[in-house]
Amino acid sequence: MRDNKKIIPTLIAQKGSLGGMNWLIDRNLTIGRDENCDIVIQDRQVSRFHAEIRIGNDDQFFLFDLGSKNGTRVNGRIINKGVELNDGDEIKIALAQEFLFVGSDATLPIENIVDDELPLNKKLFVEKNARRVWVGEEEIAPPLSVMQFNLLLLLYENENKVVSRNEIIRNVWSEEEAAGISDQAIDALVRRLRARLTKLDNSHDYIRTVRGFGFTFENQEYE
């Protein structure tokens, strides 16, 4: 059932060897190559004890670099001291592993969502600000990757319209990456997203391919 409870902050691994894994931040977490770290990254670019996420007061969370050799970045900027993390921040450990921080304040109370943004008659529901997705009464967990979520949101907000491959590239990939994106890369992303949705509902194809044009999203209404 959709609720309005706050979620525990989550660290979601994106690009890198840990891709797809996630950790609840309910205590301080160390990140590094040493096997005693809470999050172990087996890469020589990563220092033994590279960085740490620490819980502060009033639902604040901070990321510290622990004097690493190859640096820690938040949203592309290298950090030299502790920085407060905000929902949606992208963290990079050296050049080896990327993470997404989903904050404890991500979930908006359902009663604060405008009625026409809450299609209670539709089976799939996306809560944009919280990056949360429900299929029926079950929430997708672990959360979708950043690219999967951005693709689903693009299709969801253009329900029953054909979204071209060029539109997908512009909305899902960065400008630096866009030039090298192939049709095969788009198809692979769509395939992974379909697989996540199918795990919760294999009775309906939410994403349909329109040959020669792109893709369209078709939600399902409750009977």
Side-chain angles (χ1 to χ4, degrees), residues 4 18 24 27 30 38-39 45 56 65 72 76 95 99 114 116 149 153 160 166 171 181 190-191 198 203 211 213 218:
N4 60 1
L18 303 181
L24 293 178
R27 57 188 173 86
T30 53
D38 298 295
I39 301 174
Q45 299 180 65
D65 182 86
T72 303
L95 298 176
F99 296 94
V114 179
D116 59 6
F149 181 84
L153 182 63
N160 298 320
N166 286 336
N171 284 273
I181 300 304
V190 171
R191 187 164 56 248
T198 299
S203 68
R211 294 188 180 279
F213 294 95
E218 297 180 11

Side-chain angles (χ1 to χ4, degrees), residues 124-141:
L124 189 147
F125 172 67
V126 175
E127 191 177 349
K128 180 177 179 179
N129 292 323
R131 294 186 177 86
R132 298 174 76 183
V133 180
W134 285 265
V135 179
E137 296 300 319
E138 188 171 354
E139 183 178 359
I140 291 181

Side-chain angles (χ1 to χ4, degrees), residues 181-198:
I181 300 304
S182 65
D183 284 349
Q184 289 77 12
I186 297 172
D187 290 339
L189 179 60
V190 171
R191 187 164 56 248
R192 291 193 295 271
L193 176 57
R194 279 178 172 147
R196 294 298 306 276
L197 300 180
T198 299

Side-chain angles (χ1 to χ4, degrees), residues 8-53:
I8 297 174
T10 304
L11 193 68
I12 305 172
Q14 303 293 317
K15 295 179 181 177
S17 60
L18 303 181
M21 300 178 66
N22 65 93
W23 297 263
L24 293 178
I25 309 174
D26 52 4
R27 57 188 173 86
N28 294 349
L29 295 177
T30 53
I31 305 170
R33 198 175 73 250
D34 193 279
E35 62 181 17
N36 291 313
C37 290
D38 298 295
I39 301 174
V40 179
I41 306 172
Q42 295 290 356
D43 191 296
R44 297 301 299 179
Q45 299 180 65
V46 179
S47 298
R48 289 180 61 245
F49 294 91
H50 195 107
E52 184 176 18
I53 295 177

